[in-house]
Amino acid sequence: QNLEPKMAAKNENTPPLIGSNISYQLLTSLNESSYLIKKILIAAKISGIELEVKSVKNFEMVQESPIAMSILLKIIKPDTMSVVHISQSNAIMRSLAQSNSSNDLCLYGKNEIERAKIDQWIEFCWL
């Protein structure tokens, strides 16, 4: 199951994207000014991912994924109708950051040590 992200092209030298028709929806019962939403939107923006934010009731999220509490990333690949759900803001943020490993900024680190350091700060700064 190939779930490559939908990314903005950087320039003419950027290789063609595999699975660029994937769409990302962020389902949430939180106010858009919530820091949980903001940090996810920042990770998506830096990674070049178009993320649709959709306000829903908690029970609607639980219908999508039983472990979702107030926030859920829904990754949809229309050609195969595949859907992947990721809940918890840090897991969503990591997923978005990892999805564009070709990005020059390399949001989630270039190697295991850098990723461990980033994880350390994500866990430390959970508020």
Side-chain angles (χ1 to χ4, degrees), residues 37-84:
I37 303 293
K38 287 182 179 182
K39 69 182 183 178
I40 290 168
L41 291 175
I42 290 168
K45 177 91 172 169
I46 292 171
S47 296
I49 295 172
E50 293 178 32
L51 184 61
E52 175 191 353
V53 180
K54 185 176 176 186
S55 218
V56 295
K57 304 280 185 207
N58 277 339
F59 73 88
E60 292 175 279
M61 253 186 301
V62 172
Q63 288 174 337
E64 292 276 349
S65 175
I67 62 171
M69 297 173 89
S70 58
I71 196 163
L72 178 70
L73 178 65
K74 186 175 179 180
I75 305 169
I76 306 161
K77 188 171 182 187
D79 57 345
T80 62
M81 295 310 291
S82 302
V83 177
V84 174

Side-chain angles (χ1 to χ4, degrees), residues 30 33-40 42 89-90 93-94 118-127:
L30 301 172
S33 64
S34 166
Y35 75 96
L36 297 172
I37 303 293
K38 287 182 179 182
K39 69 182 183 178
I40 290 168
I42 290 168
S89 63
N90 286 344
M93 199 170 55
R94 281 186 188 99
I118 291 165
D119 280 339
Q120 166 187 296
W121 285 104
I122 288 172
E123 296 303 321
F124 177 76
C125 301
W126 64 275
L127 290 178

